[in-house]
Amino acid sequence: MAVKIISDSACDLPKEILDGYDIDIIPIIVNKQEKEYLDGETLDPMKLYEDMRNGEVYKTAQIPPTMFEKKFEEIAKSGESTIYVCFSSGLSGTYQSAVITRNAMKEKYPNLDLDVVDSKSASVGFGLLVYKAAQMAKDGKSKEEILKTLDFYVKHIEHIFTVDNLEYLFRGGRVSRAQAVVGGLLNIKPILDIPEDGTLRPVEKVRGRNRVLKRMIEIMEERGGNADLKNQTIGINHGDDIEGAMKLKEMIEKQYGCTDFVINIIGSAIGAHSGPGTLSVFFLNEKPSQD
């Protein structure tokens, strides 16, 4: 029996990949004032970005244990060997909550065959892990082989991204009010990444959109120059800025000859914090020996 791959909505994978590889998604909770939404189910990211541009504030909440219990019970009753690749523990309590629920469920269902993997990643950076696991599962690889590859990806996936407006990072507590105001006045675009501990880290500050895209391409070379970028699957996503995403894709194609991309809009769970205009690129900084 093939290994079943499940994930949560912060992986931001395109629907055609989710459907094509039969990947089940558990939605993250997104709130606007007193109203609760399910990321990707009852809230479309285009609506979120439109509202954010108009001053609306969205917040996110952890997946409730009851939602995990329902999904894990389905797995137990189906008897499927399953891997849940989840949102970074450095940015959310999702992983810890899933592990606690899984352990509790095993008391009722001792034969529950479920591994929970902390991606230490976000958005399509996280999605590339899920995608790779699903490809391997479809190819009939064993759970042990998939888990070994996931461990490599967790340690070597790079996230390079920029936000268009520091105001949204201020709302999420990532920068101060003064930094947001000054950044807006000077057209400063921060470059951030997610290091191995799965948290968020500022890398550089660049003035102007074109310069920040150029610098992101340079960082790809600095971090992934020995990782055979040309033959990787490169992830790109955007906060309602498909034009910027396609420009970034063209720059990567021209610079490195890459041909395989996963491109998608940033979902509501991540977009609630990063805001409209965000652009990200994801790649490996080392070539897997088994590829």
Side-chain angles (χ1 to χ4, degrees):
M1 182 183 294
V3 177
K4 175 72 175 177
I5 305 299
I6 66 172
S7 189
D8 53 69
S9 61
C11 71
D12 288 343
L13 282 174
K15 188 175 185 299
E16 57 267 25
I17 290 178
L18 299 176
D19 292 345
Y21 288 89
D22 192 28
I23 302 167
D24 288 354
I25 294 294
I26 305 172
I28 291 175
I29 306 297
V30 183
N31 297 306
K32 183 178 73 171
Q33 298 177 3
E34 301 301 317
K35 192 167 179 62
E36 182 177 282
Y37 300 92
L38 299 179
D39 178 26
E41 293 187 9
T42 59
L43 178 62
D44 182 85
M46 296 293 286
K47 170 63 175 171
L48 174 125
Y49 293 126
E50 179 185 356
D51 285 350
M52 291 181 77
R53 289 186 176 107
N54 291 327
E56 295 280 5
V57 177
Y58 283 85
K59 297 183 178 181
T60 56
Q62 288 185 39
I63 297 169
T66 52
M67 201 175 289
F68 281 132
E69 288 169 4
K70 180 180 179 182
K71 174 54 66 176
F72 295 173
E73 187 171 44
E74 290 177 10
I75 294 166
K77 289 181 176 179
S78 72
E80 289 182 293
S81 181
T82 304
I83 299 174
Y84 171 34
V85 189
C86 70
F87 190 22
S88 173
S89 63
L91 297 171
S92 167
T94 300
Y95 171 72
Q96 291 86 348
S97 181
V99 169
I100 290 169
T101 305
R102 188 272 314 272
N103 293 343
M105 292 290 288
K106 283 185 76 70
E107 295 181 10
K108 183 178 180 180
Y109 299 100
N111 295 324
L112 174 64
D113 183 5
L114 172 64
D115 285 82
V116 182
V117 175
D118 179 2
S119 71
K120 296 189 178 178
S121 303
S123 198
V124 170
F126 163 23
L128 289 180
L129 275 71
V130 178
Y131 187 27
K132 182 63 176 179
Q135 289 174 317
M136 293 183 70
K138 192 170 184 177
D139 289 342
K141 301 297 185 182
S142 70
K143 176 180 275 192
E144 290 71 26
E145 289 174 302
I146 297 172
L147 290 172
K148 182 180 178 181
T149 297
L150 282 173
D151 182 65
F152 179 90
Y153 269 62
V154 168
K155 293 174 180 175
H156 294 285
I157 194 75
E158 292 281 354
H159 304 61
I160 307 297
F161 66 101
T162 185
V163 298
D164 193 47
N165 190 331
L166 286 167
E167 174 66 23
Y168 305 114
L169 289 182
F170 163 70
R171 292 177 187 174
R174 302 298 182 181
V175 300
S176 68
R177 165 54 72 190
Q179 288 174 313
V181 171
V182 172
L185 291 173
L186 298 179
N187 195 27
I188 290 174
K189 308 297 182 186
I191 295 176
L192 305 97
D193 73 357
I194 294 180
E196 284 190 31
D197 63 0
T199 58
L200 193 65
R201 178 177 66 182
V203 177
E204 298 179 14
K205 296 176 183 177
V206 181
R207 182 178 290 184
R209 186 70 156 183
N210 290 332
R211 290 180 180 177
V212 80
L213 295 184
K214 180 180 178 182
R215 183 61 189 133
M216 288 170 71
I217 300 299
E218 292 172 349
I219 293 174
M220 285 188 71
E221 172 67 26
E222 293 167 7
R223 299 192 182 185
N226 296 319
D228 192 16
L229 289 169
K230 180 179 180 180
N231 293 308
Q232 286 191 33
T233 298
I234 306 296
I236 296 176
N237 65 359
H238 61 93
D240 190 23
D241 183 11
I242 186 62
E243 183 178 334
M246 296 311 295
K247 181 175 182 179
L248 188 58
K249 174 180 180 285
E250 291 169 6
M251 292 171 71
I252 294 169
E253 286 175 324
K254 181 177 180 180
Q255 186 70 25
Y256 305 116
C258 303
T259 59
D260 188 18
F261 293 86
V262 173
I263 302 175
N264 199 27
I265 191 169
I266 300 170
S268 299
I270 303 294
H273 300 282
S274 58
T278 299
L279 287 174
S280 313
V281 60
F282 311 95
F283 56 95
L284 289 173
N285 59 29
E286 188 173 313
K287 187 178 185 296
S289 58
Q290 64 267 37
D291 281 2

